[in-house]
Amino acid sequence: MSVMMVRKKVTRKWEKLPGKNTFCCDGRVMMARQKGIFYLTLILILGTCSLFFAFECRYLAVHLSPAIPVFAAVLFLFAMATLLRTSFSDPGVIPRALPDEAAFIEMEIEAANGNVPQGQRPPPRIKNVQINNQIVKLKYCYTCKIFRPPRASHCSICDNCVERFDHHCPWVGNCVGKRNYRYFYLFILSLSLLTIYIFAFNIVYVALNSLSIGFLNTLKESPGTVLEVFICFFTLWSVVGLTGFHTFLVSLNQTTNEDIKGSWTGKNRVQNPYNYGNPVKNCCEVLCGPVKPSMLDRRGILQEQAGVLGQTEQTNSNPQQDPVSAAPLMSSESSENPASPGKDPQTNATNAIEMSVQHPKQSDGTKI
């Protein structure tokens, strides 16, 4: 009897994803490759808070209130949770077009532009969509081979198109986009409160303890206080300023990328079609709206045939073997052909555009 055993190697889809991201924990964690500044962020937060809990909190809990270290611990845990959620999550990466999809889009572009005379520059690859009576341009990405959805942009550091791209933040080690912007905003907000809290109670600690043992003895008793005040003083201005800037953007339902480029101001004279005209509604839409699932099936399985192992066994009862029984088993994946004739090759490439152009205020008012 002849038995053919097919051994297959299980490969996750995140191992084959293009771009410059790194993955950990079997694809559950997604970050940028440059993580040095992210580690610096962790060291500054953990180091400052450790010194505060080790020196000042014990004195303040006894002489003022035991609620001081408790509230500081709550702020610290919330800031760390939102930082890790921002850093380890998919910001909204848009999958690149498959070869068949890219070829189909190229055919559409060539049919729309016609024959371009030799020596002349071809027209820009742009599509116009109408959102709440405003014309918004969809630009073609030559790297991802897709027309980017509204508000999306290609990050040169991560080498991916990100939906509702805000900016690439090296301090969190990831892009900030549609799927993690709320956690980024909550992180800088809680970090601002934590920095102000530690800085203020460091001053209170020095003032109270100096009345009993003197200023120099206070610094000798808790040498970490000087370092904490130094870090908090210089961090305070940048973090609080950044929080105020993003609060302004959230109230207008605008991104950092749009503000830098002047998408809704300046010479374009185009109003922001995503602005509700009410800061409260804008904040609710940006910070409290539903979060769509990731468009990347990072932990999906790709099975590749690693080898075929043949093993022959002879039995006395049946020396003659049927040649059909020795045929190898066919992989069930061979029927899963992404370029099947009955499927439109443009479906996956335009799916993100169709979902993004629909505005919450007017889901049926978008025209391409």
Side-chain angles (χ1 to χ4, degrees), residues 193-216:
L193 297 176
L194 180 63
T195 305
I196 295 173
Y197 190 86
I198 294 178
F199 182 77
F201 278 104
N202 268 291
I203 301 301
V204 172
Y205 166 78
V206 172
L208 292 178
N209 209 19
S210 297
L211 296 176
S212 56
I213 63 175
F215 179 74
L216 295 179

PDB file of all heavy atoms in Angstrom, residues 193-216:
ATOM      1  N   LEU A 193      -2.148  65.852  31.899  1.00  0.00           N
ATOM      2  CA  LEU A 193      -2.648  65.902  33.282  1.00  0.00           C
ATOM      3  C   LEU A 193      -1.659  65.267  34.255  1.00  0.00           C
ATOM      4  O   LEU A 193      -1.441  65.792  35.363  1.00  0.00           O
ATOM      5  CB  LEU A 193      -4.010  65.202  33.367  1.00  0.00           C
ATOM      6  CG  LEU A 193      -5.142  65.832  32.558  1.00  0.00           C
ATOM      7  CD1 LEU A 193      -6.409  64.983  32.656  1.00  0.00           C
ATOM      8  CD2 LEU A 193      -5.425  67.251  33.027  1.00  0.00           C
ATOM      9  N   LEU A 194      -1.050  64.162  33.858  1.00  0.00           N
ATOM     10  CA  LEU A 194      -0.086  63.488  34.726  1.00  0.00           C
ATOM     11  C   LEU A 194       1.156  64.353  34.941  1.00  0.00           C
ATOM     12  O   LEU A 194       1.679  64.440  36.067  1.00  0.00           O
ATOM     13  CB  LEU A 194       0.306  62.138  34.113  1.00  0.00           C
ATOM     14  CG  LEU A 194       1.318  61.299  34.892  1.00  0.00           C
ATOM     15  CD1 LEU A 194       0.765  60.907  36.252  1.00  0.00           C
ATOM     16  CD2 LEU A 194       1.691  60.049  34.098  1.00  0.00           C
ATOM     17  N   THR A 195       1.617  65.015  33.886  1.00  0.00           N
ATOM     18  CA  THR A 195       2.796  65.880  34.014  1.00  0.00           C
ATOM     19  C   THR A 195       2.509  67.065  34.925  1.00  0.00           C
ATOM     20  O   THR A 195       3.332  67.415  35.796  1.00  0.00           O
ATOM     21  CB  THR A 195       3.232  66.373  32.622  1.00  0.00           C
ATOM     22  OG1 THR A 195       3.453  65.250  31.773  1.00  0.00           O
ATOM     23  CG2 THR A 195       4.506  67.193  32.716  1.00  0.00           C
ATOM     24  N   ILE A 196       1.358  67.705  34.732  1.00  0.00           N
ATOM     25  CA  ILE A 196       0.978  68.827  35.599  1.00  0.00           C
ATOM     26  C   ILE A 196       0.838  68.359  37.044  1.00  0.00           C
ATOM     27  O   ILE A 196       1.264  69.046  37.992  1.00  0.00           O
ATOM     28  CB  ILE A 196      -0.328  69.462  35.092  1.00  0.00           C
ATOM     29  CG1 ILE A 196      -0.107  70.095  33.713  1.00  0.00           C
ATOM     30  CG2 ILE A 196      -0.849  70.504  36.071  1.00  0.00           C
ATOM     31  CD1 ILE A 196      -1.382  70.600  33.054  1.00  0.00           C
ATOM     32  N   TYR A 197       0.236  67.193  37.231  1.00  0.00           N
ATOM     33  CA  TYR A 197       0.003  66.649  38.575  1.00  0.00           C
ATOM     34  C   TYR A 197       1.324  66.399  39.304  1.00  0.00           C
ATOM     35  O   TYR A 197       1.508  66.821  40.469  1.00  0.00           O
ATOM     36  CB  TYR A 197      -0.799  65.361  38.438  1.00  0.00           C
ATOM     37  CG  TYR A 197      -1.334  64.804  39.721  1.00  0.00           C
ATOM     38  CD1 TYR A 197      -2.559  65.232  40.235  1.00  0.00           C
ATOM     39  CD2 TYR A 197      -0.630  63.826  40.424  1.00  0.00           C
ATOM     40  CE1 TYR A 197      -3.059  64.702  41.409  1.00  0.00           C
ATOM     41  CE2 TYR A 197      -1.129  63.296  41.604  1.00  0.00           C
ATOM     42  CZ  TYR A 197      -2.341  63.734  42.088  1.00  0.00           C
ATOM     43  OH  TYR A 197      -2.835  63.216  43.265  1.00  0.00           O
ATOM     44  N   ILE A 198       2.268  65.733  38.635  1.00  0.00           N
ATOM     45  CA  ILE A 198       3.549  65.429  39.279  1.00  0.00           C
ATOM     46  C   ILE A 198       4.339  66.709  39.525  1.00  0.00           C
ATOM     47  O   ILE A 198       4.952  66.877  40.600  1.00  0.00           O
ATOM     48  CB  ILE A 198       4.356  64.439  38.407  1.00  0.00           C
ATOM     49  CG1 ILE A 198       3.646  63.092  38.359  1.00  0.00           C
ATOM     50  CG2 ILE A 198       5.779  64.285  38.932  1.00  0.00           C
ATOM     51  CD1 ILE A 198       4.348  62.059  37.482  1.00  0.00           C
ATOM     52  N   PHE A 199       4.351  67.610  38.570  1.00  0.00           N
ATOM     53  CA  PHE A 199       5.096  68.859  38.733  1.00  0.00           C
ATOM     54  C   PHE A 199       4.540  69.685  39.894  1.00  0.00           C
ATOM     55  O   PHE A 199       5.313  70.220  40.716  1.00  0.00           O
ATOM     56  CB  PHE A 199       5.028  69.662  37.437  1.00  0.00           C
ATOM     57  CG  PHE A 199       5.795  70.953  37.471  1.00  0.00           C
ATOM     58  CD1 PHE A 199       7.171  70.956  37.345  1.00  0.00           C
ATOM     59  CD2 PHE A 199       5.130  72.163  37.636  1.00  0.00           C
ATOM     60  CE1 PHE A 199       7.885  72.151  37.384  1.00  0.00           C
ATOM     61  CE2 PHE A 199       5.825  73.353  37.677  1.00  0.00           C
ATOM     62  CZ  PHE A 199       7.212  73.351  37.554  1.00  0.00           C
ATOM     63  N   ALA A 200       3.214  69.788  39.994  1.00  0.00           N
ATOM     64  CA  ALA A 200       2.601  70.590  41.061  1.00  0.00           C
ATOM     65  C   ALA A 200       2.878  69.991  42.439  1.00  0.00           C
ATOM     66  O   ALA A 200       3.253  70.712  43.383  1.00  0.00           O
ATOM     67  CB  ALA A 200       1.098  70.699  40.811  1.00  0.00           C
ATOM     68  N   PHE A 201       2.751  68.693  42.592  1.00  0.00           N
ATOM     69  CA  PHE A 201       2.947  68.088  43.911  1.00  0.00           C
ATOM     70  C   PHE A 201       4.429  67.950  44.258  1.00  0.00           C
ATOM     71  O   PHE A 201       4.764  67.804  45.442  1.00  0.00           O
ATOM     72  CB  PHE A 201       2.248  66.730  43.983  1.00  0.00           C
ATOM     73  CG  PHE A 201       0.780  66.852  44.290  1.00  0.00           C
ATOM     74  CD1 PHE A 201      -0.167  66.684  43.299  1.00  0.00           C
ATOM     75  CD2 PHE A 201       0.351  67.168  45.568  1.00  0.00           C
ATOM     76  CE1 PHE A 201      -1.521  66.805  43.570  1.00  0.00           C
ATOM     77  CE2 PHE A 201      -1.001  67.294  45.856  1.00  0.00           C
ATOM     78  CZ  PHE A 201      -1.944  67.108  44.854  1.00  0.00           C
ATOM     79  N   ASN A 202       5.312  68.007  43.287  1.00  0.00           N
ATOM     80  CA  ASN A 202       6.731  68.125  43.612  1.00  0.00           C
ATOM     81  C   ASN A 202       7.025  69.468  44.267  1.00  0.00           C
ATOM     82  O   ASN A 202       7.800  69.546  45.233  1.00  0.00           O
ATOM     83  CB  ASN A 202       7.571  67.967  42.338  1.00  0.00           C
ATOM     84  CG  ASN A 202       7.997  66.529  42.107  1.00  0.00           C
ATOM     85  OD1 ASN A 202       8.814  65.977  42.841  1.00  0.00           O
ATOM     86  ND2 ASN A 202       7.422  65.914  41.093  1.00  0.00           N
ATOM     87  N   ILE A 203       6.434  70.521  43.731  1.00  0.00           N
ATOM     88  CA  ILE A 203       6.614  71.852  44.340  1.00  0.00           C
ATOM     89  C   ILE A 203       6.013  71.880  45.736  1.00  0.00           C
ATOM     90  O   ILE A 203       6.603  72.444  46.680  1.00  0.00           O
ATOM     91  CB  ILE A 203       5.972  72.923  43.447  1.00  0.00           C
ATOM     92  CG1 ILE A 203       6.604  72.910  42.032  1.00  0.00           C
ATOM     93  CG2 ILE A 203       6.107  74.297  44.073  1.00  0.00           C
ATOM     94  CD1 ILE A 203       8.081  73.163  42.011  1.00  0.00           C
ATOM     95  N   VAL A 204       4.814  71.264  45.892  1.00  0.00           N
ATOM     96  CA  VAL A 204       4.180  71.218  47.219  1.00  0.00           C
ATOM     97  C   VAL A 204       5.049  70.434  48.200  1.00  0.00           C
ATOM     98  O   VAL A 204       5.216  70.836  49.368  1.00  0.00           O
ATOM     99  CB  VAL A 204       2.777  70.590  47.099  1.00  0.00           C
ATOM    100  CG1 VAL A 204       2.179  70.352  48.488  1.00  0.00           C
ATOM    101  CG2 VAL A 204       1.856  71.483  46.283  1.00  0.00           C
ATOM    102  N   TYR A 205       5.614  69.339  47.758  1.00  0.00           N
ATOM    103  CA  TYR A 205       6.462  68.521  48.629  1.00  0.00           C
ATOM    104  C   TYR A 205       7.695  69.298  49.089  1.00  0.00           C
ATOM    105  O   TYR A 205       8.063  69.278  50.277  1.00  0.00           O
ATOM    106  CB  TYR A 205       6.870  67.254  47.895  1.00  0.00           C
ATOM    107  CG  TYR A 205       7.994  66.503  48.562  1.00  0.00           C
ATOM    108  CD1 TYR A 205       7.760  65.702  49.679  1.00  0.00           C
ATOM    109  CD2 TYR A 205       9.305  66.591  48.075  1.00  0.00           C
ATOM    110  CE1 TYR A 205       8.796  65.015  50.293  1.00  0.00           C
ATOM    111  CE2 TYR A 205      10.338  65.906  48.680  1.00  0.00           C
ATOM    112  CZ  TYR A 205      10.080  65.125  49.783  1.00  0.00           C
ATOM    113  OH  TYR A 205      11.110  64.453  50.410  1.00  0.00           O
ATOM    114  N   VAL A 206       8.351  69.979  48.156  1.00  0.00           N
ATOM    115  CA  VAL A 206       9.544  70.752  48.506  1.00  0.00           C
ATOM    116  C   VAL A 206       9.186  71.874  49.476  1.00  0.00           C
ATOM    117  O   VAL A 206       9.909  72.142  50.460  1.00  0.00           O
ATOM    118  CB  VAL A 206      10.218  71.298  47.241  1.00  0.00           C
ATOM    119  CG1 VAL A 206      11.350  72.271  47.598  1.00  0.00           C
ATOM    120  CG2 VAL A 206      10.761  70.158  46.397  1.00  0.00           C
ATOM    121  N   ALA A 207       8.057  72.534  49.241  1.00  0.00           N
ATOM    122  CA  ALA A 207       7.653  73.650  50.106  1.00  0.00           C
ATOM    123  C   ALA A 207       7.333  73.177  51.521  1.00  0.00           C
ATOM    124  O   ALA A 207       7.766  73.789  52.515  1.00  0.00           O
ATOM    125  CB  ALA A 207       6.451  74.363  49.493  1.00  0.00           C
ATOM    126  N   LEU A 208       6.565  72.088  51.642  1.00  0.00           N
ATOM    127  CA  LEU A 208       6.183  71.606  52.973  1.00  0.00           C
ATOM    128  C   LEU A 208       7.368  71.020  53.733  1.00  0.00           C
ATOM    129  O   LEU A 208       7.537  71.275  54.942  1.00  0.00           O
ATOM    130  CB  LEU A 208       5.074  70.549  52.837  1.00  0.00           C
ATOM    131  CG  LEU A 208       3.713  71.039  52.346  1.00  0.00           C
ATOM    132  CD1 LEU A 208       2.740  69.867  52.211  1.00  0.00           C
ATOM    133  CD2 LEU A 208       3.143  72.093  53.282  1.00  0.00           C
ATOM    134  N   ASN A 209       8.178  70.250  53.058  1.00  0.00           N
ATOM    135  CA  ASN A 209       9.303  69.609  53.732  1.00  0.00           C
ATOM    136  C   ASN A 209      10.403  70.610  54.084  1.00  0.00           C
ATOM    137  O   ASN A 209      11.149  70.410  55.051  1.00  0.00           O
ATOM    138  CB  ASN A 209       9.872  68.503  52.840  1.00  0.00           C
ATOM    139  CG  ASN A 209      10.491  67.379  53.634  1.00  0.00           C
ATOM    140  OD1 ASN A 209      10.222  67.209  54.822  1.00  0.00           O
ATOM    141  ND2 ASN A 209      11.323  66.581  52.980  1.00  0.00           N
ATOM    142  N   SER A 210      10.511  71.692  53.316  1.00  0.00           N
ATOM    143  CA  SER A 210      11.522  72.710  53.616  1.00  0.00           C
ATOM    144  C   SER A 210      11.197  73.462  54.889  1.00  0.00           C
ATOM    145  O   SER A 210      12.106  73.983  55.560  1.00  0.00           O
ATOM    146  CB  SER A 210      11.626  73.692  52.449  1.00  0.00           C
ATOM    147  OG  SER A 210      12.059  73.036  51.271  1.00  0.00           O
ATOM    148  N   LEU A 211       9.925  73.530  55.257  1.00  0.00           N
ATOM    149  CA  LEU A 211       9.546  74.227  56.502  1.00  0.00           C
ATOM    150  C   LEU A 211      10.034  73.504  57.740  1.00  0.00           C
ATOM    151  O   LEU A 211      10.270  74.120  58.779  1.00  0.00           O
ATOM    152  CB  LEU A 211       8.022  74.389  56.556  1.00  0.00           C
ATOM    153  CG  LEU A 211       7.390  75.271  55.475  1.00  0.00           C
ATOM    154  CD1 LEU A 211       5.870  75.271  55.593  1.00  0.00           C
ATOM    155  CD2 LEU A 211       7.927  76.689  55.558  1.00  0.00           C
ATOM    156  N   SER A 212      10.196  72.178  57.620  1.00  0.00           N
ATOM    157  CA  SER A 212      10.585  71.408  58.803  1.00  0.00           C
ATOM    158  C   SER A 212      12.081  71.082  58.829  1.00  0.00           C
ATOM    159  O   SER A 212      12.721  71.185  59.884  1.00  0.00           O
ATOM    160  CB  SER A 212       9.776  70.099  58.852  1.00  0.00           C
ATOM    161  OG  SER A 212       9.963  69.365  57.644  1.00  0.00           O
ATOM    162  N   ILE A 213      12.675  70.712  57.692  1.00  0.00           N
ATOM    163  CA  ILE A 213      14.084  70.300  57.704  1.00  0.00           C
ATOM    164  C   ILE A 213      14.965  71.196  56.835  1.00  0.00           C
ATOM    165  O   ILE A 213      16.179  70.996  56.792  1.00  0.00           O
ATOM    166  CB  ILE A 213      14.223  68.831  57.244  1.00  0.00           C
ATOM    167  CG1 ILE A 213      13.741  68.669  55.792  1.00  0.00           C
ATOM    168  CG2 ILE A 213      13.451  67.899  58.170  1.00  0.00           C
ATOM    169  CD1 ILE A 213      13.969  67.272  55.248  1.00  0.00           C
ATOM    170  N   GLY A 214      14.387  72.149  56.141  1.00  0.00           N
ATOM    171  CA  GLY A 214      15.185  73.038  55.314  1.00  0.00           C
ATOM    172  C   GLY A 214      15.213  72.590  53.855  1.00  0.00           C
ATOM    173  O   GLY A 214      14.969  71.422  53.517  1.00  0.00           O
ATOM    174  N   PHE A 215      15.535  73.551  52.993  1.00  0.00           N
ATOM    175  CA  PHE A 215      15.477  73.298  51.555  1.00  0.00           C
ATOM    176  C   PHE A 215      16.560  72.312  51.096  1.00  0.00           C
ATOM    177  O   PHE A 215      16.302  71.364  50.366  1.00  0.00           O
ATOM    178  CB  PHE A 215      15.624  74.629  50.809  1.00  0.00           C
ATOM    179  CG  PHE A 215      15.593  74.486  49.314  1.00  0.00           C
ATOM    180  CD1 PHE A 215      14.404  74.226  48.649  1.00  0.00           C
ATOM    181  CD2 PHE A 215      16.765  74.605  48.570  1.00  0.00           C
ATOM    182  CE1 PHE A 215      14.386  74.092  47.266  1.00  0.00           C
ATOM    183  CE2 PHE A 215      16.754  74.482  47.190  1.00  0.00           C
ATOM    184  CZ  PHE A 215      15.548  74.209  46.535  1.00  0.00           C
ATOM    185  N   LEU A 216      17.800  72.523  51.554  1.00  0.00           N
ATOM    186  CA  LEU A 216      18.897  71.643  51.138  1.00  0.00           C
ATOM    187  C   LEU A 216      18.734  70.229  51.667  1.00  0.00           C
ATOM    188  O   LEU A 216      19.010  69.247  50.966  1.00  0.00           O
ATOM    189  CB  LEU A 216      20.236  72.223  51.598  1.00  0.00           C
ATOM    190  CG  LEU A 216      20.629  73.569  50.965  1.00  0.00           C
ATOM    191  CD1 LEU A 216      21.970  74.047  51.529  1.00  0.00           C
ATOM    192  CD2 LEU A 216      20.722  73.433  49.442  1.00  0.00           C
TER     193      LEU A 216
END
